[in-house]
Amino acid sequence: MQEIKSLSHWIKASGFTVILTGAGMSTESGLPDFRSKSGWWRNIDPSTVATVDALETNYSLFHDFYSMRLKTLEACSPHEGHYILAEWEKRNLVHSIVTQNVDGFHKAAGSSRVYELHGSLRSIRCSGCGKPGTVEDFLDRVACRSCGERLRPGVVLFGEMLPQDAWECALRDIKRADLVIVIGTSLQVYPANQLPTMTKGRAVLINYEAYSGGSRFDMVLQGKARDTLIELNRIIHKSKVS
Ligand code: APR
């Protein structure tokens, strides 16, 4: 496949590469994505569970949904693609990772410069006083031990602001990048879906389903994240040896 060979050259020639990932980066770890046929939103209306309104007016449904996601997460782990991206950071082939994912897999695989635009499922906090809580207390529906309010995961709910520091770092790096590689996202959710259009460099999409959005890409590779990263890494290693 000539395109994947060209991409390996772009990666090696780039002085500043940023990776943008979505839920498709973690489906091969066993975590469902949201909008493909086996995704969370196929059977659940996000407005009933992933909003502040759901947190405030329907805590039992909110709690059931995020407890299920936390338990699913506990049974899953990063796959080889996450580890390859972490290795590329160590080899200065990748500068940073911007992720919409809340599974923490990029950091767990060893990537250090990771901007979690939508927060992290395992970072529990009180919805009232904001003090940190534990996953165990959240799962057991224990109220905040400081103020008695309800606990929630530290994920960005629809309608909430993104963590400012993560967004600003992501935007700074994307603007500066020579190469942005977008992996496993339908690019349906604002403002993350604006990022690929904000780089001065090349933009590449690796996605399982065909992309029908408006962003322009210099290359679109239709395929699975893990397999594509393994193949890319093989080519890069081979060319390095020779
Ligand atoms: N390899 C590559 N692409 C994949 C794979 C895979 N193994 N598995 C799924 N995909 C693709 C799907 O075809 C789909 O186009 O990943 C994309 C995932 O899109 P979504 O399910 O919409 O997930 P995402 O884009 O990350 O959603 C963004 O929406 O609900 C919110 O906060 C949630 O962060 C999430 C945001």
Side-chain angles (χ1 to χ4, degrees), residues 24 27 30 50 61 85 93 101 103 109 116-117 120 159 162 176 188 192 201-202 206 216 232:
T27 52
L61 200 57
L85 292 177
L93 291 171
N101 298 341
D103 52 41
E116 295 174 323
L117 297 183
S120 159
L162 271 58
R176 181 179 157 192
Q188 300 280 309
R202 288 185 171 124
I206 298 171
R216 61 125 187 99
L232 266 170

Side-chain angles (χ1 to χ4, degrees), residues 23-24 27-28 34-35 41 100 118 184-186 189 207-209 225:
T27 52
E28 289 157 282
F34 295 94
R35 295 175 184 80
W41 302 151
Q100 299 171 90
H118 294 166
T185 174
S186 62
V189 174
N207 205 62
Y208 185 62
E209 288 167 341

Side-chain angles (χ1 to χ4, degrees), residues 43-55:
N43 307 306
I44 300 170
D45 171 359
S47 68
T48 64
V49 290
T51 58
V52 174
D53 182 56
L55 167 63

